[in-house]
Amino acid sequence: MATITAPSSRQLDRTERQQRRRRNVWSYLAMALFAVIFLFPMVFMFISSLKPDAQILSDVRSLNAFLPVGDLSLDNYRDVFDRVPVARFMINSVLITTLIVVLGLVVNSMCGFALSRLEWKGRGAVLAVVIATLIVPFETIAIPMVYWVSKLPTLVFEGGVPKYDFGWLNTYQVQIIPFIANAFSIFLFTQYFSTIPKSLDEAARIDGAGWFTIYRKIVVPLAGPAFATVAILTFLPAWNSYLWPLMVVQEENLRPVMVGMQYFFQLNPAWGEVMAYTTLITLPVLIVFLSFQRAFVSSVAASGVKG
Amino acid sequence: MASSTTSVAPARPPATPDLARRRSSAGARGERRSGLAMAAPAAILLGLFLIVPVLLAFGLSFTNARLISPNPPRFVGLDNFIRAFTQDPVFLRSVLNTFLFAIVVVPVQAGLGLLLAVLVNQKLRGVTFFRIVYFIPVVTSIVVVSILWKFMYQPTGLINSFIDTMTFGVLQGADWLNNPRTALPAIIVLSIWQAVGFHMLIWLSGLQTIPGELYEAARMDGADAWAQFKNVTWPGLRSTMIFVLVTITISALGLFVQIDVMTQGGPQNSTTTIVYHAVRKGYREQETGYGAAISLIFFVLVLVIALVQRFVTREKD
């Protein structure tokens, strides 16, 4: 297969140049074939969302399945909005995702700062916990976690009077608070902060700055890439989360988009409507990805550094 | 530190060793307090929502706890584990299915990811475009992907009409998701399709750490493309390979969403996985104790496999 061929300064003779050209043609063919494989379901989804079911099923036998031809309309989208409160699901998901990402950036970066630059009692223990739990998949603790949050105390307002109650099920907080602190984010911040020279801290200390000021005024402004990486790596799972809200949220107006879609799917909608729903909840992520694709790519690369 | 202290406070007499020591111990105390205060929010949250659930997984798996029950959990010893391995054929089937899934997905996804990475690591016009295209399924939710492929796998769906057209009607497609023989393979295909772009990027970042001079030297020695890959690229990818294999294995063992959306474990439990079974028992049938036991088995499995994989890939050196 093709490999990296850095242009060399020495003169290439003719056969070598021909060989290289032939290899490039094969490379392009292979890359184009893979591009088709990765794109065709997405194109099919988008195009089908514009067609009535009868036409989707007849178009499936030809290339028309991927072409915007025939009876095109936004009817499926209108039906989705008529049948389920999809706008409400969207608002829920945006709210939950934003809070997880923003609060996560603050909490995890402060912890990373303390772990990488300060000496304090308990530092070793916290660092050990962070490293030990890096590989623990959420699925392993999901069941005991449901049990746990169903017992946690919460504040409810009954007729404007605050009172204690038990159980976090069917709330916003149960979808947000457990996911703010993240071992992997703390780990990335700790790694990144330790590359920023400590002499900066010392200079600021002498000028009388407290540690929080050093964090906020010196370290955070220098750690843009780390913040971008953590934001992206926490944004995707938060937006896409499914197993957790499936178990802890039954109330319709608290549902996020993914669980809302599974619920919609069970109403036996037309396929065109399903494709309209999936397009609706995929487009925001796709737009974010395409606008920040460079940051996405380097974030994923950074996540592999720990190996 | 000491010399700069005098430079900011020139009016004062030079600090005596005693004063300096006192000042630095005050600074150390401040440092300890600040460190604790700044780590506290994350540490408390990790304790509440990571450590406690892990401990609960251990604790609950030896009880008959139920999610909603008037009676407090009762200690039942190893009953849940005995039940899983001797009285619950669906659990054993789910272990088998999960392993089958992982055994196919891990090498295929890792290999395909590496192939894609090598392709888009060439100095060719437009490779950035292809990288983005291959990554699009990764940012698409697995819930969306599962529903989309469920549609394509319908008996009269896109996949079957494609097979029909390509083979001029010689080969007939299957009712992919309703046939116990084809359901798991069908899910394997879409799972690889969705996630391979992620590992392409991990491989790519590994490839880019290999210095170009090594290839130059290999070419000087007359190494062809394959020899260059075998002797320069592959040895340079050791640590990347460990990371890729461990992450794919762990996420493959956690297979859940595709099953829940596409087959609900059917037909005839041919696609029930460990996590799906844990959720079915521990949540839907409310047997928290038994579900915790299955989760714990899964947890130990992940841990063992991560350790073994690390050990094996390191020993080959």
Side-chain angles (χ1 to χ4, degrees):
Chain A
M1 213 47 250
T3 56
I4 307 95
T5 48
S8 65
S9 52
R10 72 205 162 96
Q11 196 72 33
L12 300 169
D13 61 40
R14 179 169 287 171
T15 58
E16 202 170 325
R17 205 174 285 174
Q18 266 175 351
Q19 256 177 9
R20 175 177 289 195
R21 194 172 304 147
R22 204 172 319 136
R23 205 157 59 212
N24 287 352
V25 170
W26 280 112
S27 294
Y28 274 118
L29 280 176
M31 288 194 292
L33 177 69
F34 280 116
V36 170
I37 291 173
F38 286 109
L39 279 182
F40 86 88
M42 309 301 292
V43 174
F44 176 62
M45 171 177 91
F46 179 66
I47 295 295
S48 298
S49 75
L50 302 169
K51 294 175 180 173
D53 266 29
Q55 202 200 331
I56 297 176
L57 294 176
S58 60
D59 280 357
V60 122
R61 306 209 65 80
S62 68
L63 275 180
N64 283 347
F66 308 104
L67 298 174
V69 291
D71 184 9
L72 302 178
S73 74
L74 292 174
D75 288 356
N76 290 325
Y77 289 87
R78 203 196 53 215
D79 294 345
V80 169
F81 280 95
D82 283 350
R83 296 186 67 174
V84 279
V86 62
R88 181 65 195 247
F89 298 160
M90 289 270 210
I91 293 168
N92 289 342
S93 270
V94 169
L95 178 82
I96 292 163
T97 307
T98 310
L99 283 171
I100 289 177
V101 171
V102 172
L103 294 174
L105 285 176
V106 174
V107 164
N108 295 317
S109 69
M110 283 203 313
C111 187
F113 178 85
L115 286 175
S116 67
R117 303 177 92 79
L118 298 176
E119 279 300 331
W120 43 283
K121 209 178 265 175
R123 176 176 172 274
V126 173
L127 200 59
V129 165
V130 165
I131 288 174
T133 52
L134 277 180
I135 63 149
V136 176
F138 175 71
E139 289 87 352
T140 58
I141 56 168
I143 300 289
M145 186 101 120
V146 175
Y147 186 82
W148 175 228
V149 297
S150 76
K151 310 279 183 233
L152 284 174
T154 186
L155 212 53
V156 287
F157 291 89
E158 252 168 44
V161 186
K163 103 182 218 298
Y164 271 116
D165 198 0
F166 288 92
W168 280 23
L169 302 182
N170 282 315
T171 57
Y172 279 116
Q173 84 227 28
V174 76
Q175 303 183 66
I176 299 165
I177 296 174
F179 303 99
I180 293 172
N182 182 306
F184 188 57
S185 305
I186 295 171
F187 182 76
L188 279 178
F189 277 122
T190 309
Q191 295 272 79
Y192 195 90
F193 289 160
S194 57
T195 64
I196 297 171
K198 290 211 170 71
S199 53
L200 294 174
D201 304 7
E202 279 159 27
R205 292 290 293 163
I206 288 149
D207 291 344
W211 286 106
F212 189 75
T213 313
I214 294 173
Y215 158 78
R216 204 164 51 88
K217 294 270 172 65
I218 297 175
V219 173
V220 170
L222 288 173
F227 278 85
T229 296
V230 170
I232 285 168
L233 292 177
T234 45
F235 161 74
L236 277 181
W239 180 266
N240 292 336
S241 80
Y242 176 74
L243 170 59
W244 183 246
L246 189 70
M247 295 195 291
V248 297
V249 178
Q250 270 72 47
E251 241 168 71
E252 181 167 285
N253 55 8
L254 295 174
R255 283 197 180 108
V257 282
M258 295 306 155
V259 176
M261 175 165 69
Q262 174 63 351
Y263 165 73
F264 179 57
F265 200 58
Q266 283 161 358
L267 299 177
N268 275 322
W271 277 108
E273 293 170 0
V274 174
M275 296 297 115
Y277 193 126
T278 53
T279 304
L280 271 177
I281 62 172
T282 304
L283 274 183
V285 189
L286 222 49
I287 290 167
V288 172
F289 165 59
L290 292 176
S291 351
F292 299 101
Q293 47 95 3
R294 211 178 288 265
F296 265 79
V297 167
S298 54
S299 300
V300 172
S303 79
V305 171
K306 72 165 178 172
Chain B
M1 180 88 185
S3 66
S4 37
T5 309
T6 50
S7 74
V8 264
R12 277 189 215 151
T16 63
D18 184 46
L19 187 62
R21 200 177 315 123
R22 202 151 10 114
R23 198 177 283 166
S24 83
S25 83
R29 207 175 319 124
E31 186 173 333
R32 279 201 296 273
R33 257 203 306 267
S34 306
L36 202 58
M38 292 179 80
I44 290 168
L45 286 170
L46 280 184
L48 277 177
F49 298 110
L50 191 62
I51 309 292
V52 169
V54 167
L55 296 178
L56 268 178
F58 278 90
L60 289 172
S61 60
F62 298 100
T63 70
N64 64 352
R66 297 185 64 86
L67 188 54
I68 297 161
S69 165
N71 308 317
R74 196 166 49 80
F75 181 78
V76 295
L78 291 172
D79 281 8
N80 287 326
F81 296 94
I82 293 167
R83 174 180 168 196
F85 286 107
T86 61
Q87 291 149 28
D88 187 355
V90 179
F91 169 73
L92 295 177
R93 184 69 204 261
S94 78
V95 175
L96 177 71
N97 289 335
T98 309
F99 273 105
L100 280 176
F101 181 81
I103 284 167
V104 179
V105 166
V106 173
V108 174
Q109 192 169 314
L112 205 57
L114 179 58
L115 172 69
L116 292 175
V118 169
L119 276 175
V120 298
N121 192 36
Q122 299 174 95
K123 293 213 164 48
L124 292 174
R125 209 180 280 268
V127 285
T128 314
F129 167 78
F130 288 109
R131 280 178 208 169
I132 294 170
V133 167
Y134 302 163
F135 199 71
I136 283 178
V138 180
V139 297
T140 309
S141 155
I142 186 67
V143 181
V144 168
V145 169
S146 300
I147 288 187
L148 176 58
W149 280 75
K150 183 172 182 169
F151 184 32
M152 299 200 304
Y153 277 135
Q154 298 285 301
T156 56
L158 196 62
I159 303 281
N160 278 350
S161 78
F162 177 76
I163 292 172
D164 192 52
T165 312
M166 291 309 278
T167 62
F168 303 103
V170 176
L171 279 182
Q172 291 296 307
D175 187 356
W176 299 98
L177 297 175
N178 286 319
N179 182 334
R181 293 231 309 280
T182 55
L184 194 62
I187 290 173
I188 287 175
V189 168
L190 83 97
S191 303
I192 294 172
W193 176 86
Q194 195 259 346
V196 71
F198 184 85
H199 295 98
M200 168 194 77
L201 284 187
I202 305 273
W203 283 119
L204 189 64
S205 69
L207 284 175
Q208 288 172 345
T209 60
I210 300 171
E213 301 91 68
L214 288 180
Y215 291 102
E216 193 78 6
R219 265 201 303 279
M220 293 288 204
D221 294 343
D224 61 12
W226 174 244
Q228 284 177 39
F229 180 82
K230 203 171 58 139
N231 299 315
V232 179
T233 312
W234 189 240
L237 289 174
R238 290 201 60 78
S239 60
T240 313
M241 179 184 71
I242 295 169
F243 179 78
V244 167
L245 290 180
V246 169
T247 51
I248 300 179
T249 307
I250 291 175
S251 67
L253 293 176
L255 176 64
F256 172 78
V257 177
Q258 294 95 309
I259 307 300
D260 193 57
V261 173
M262 299 176 81
T263 62
Q264 284 86 50
Q268 296 156 37
N269 284 314
S270 62
T271 59
T272 301
T273 60
I274 299 176
V275 175
Y276 187 80
H277 195 53
V279 171
R280 178 158 58 193
K281 290 293 171 191
Y283 173 71
R284 294 196 173 122
E285 295 173 15
Q286 310 234 337
E287 294 188 69
T288 306
Y290 189 50
I294 297 175
S295 301
L296 195 64
I297 296 169
F298 172 57
F299 178 67
V300 171
L301 202 68
V302 166
L303 213 62
V304 167
I305 285 178
L307 290 175
V308 165
Q309 218 163 30
R310 240 156 216 270
F311 183 72
V312 168
T313 41
R314 208 170 270 172
E315 282 305 281
K316 272 193 200 144
D317 237 340

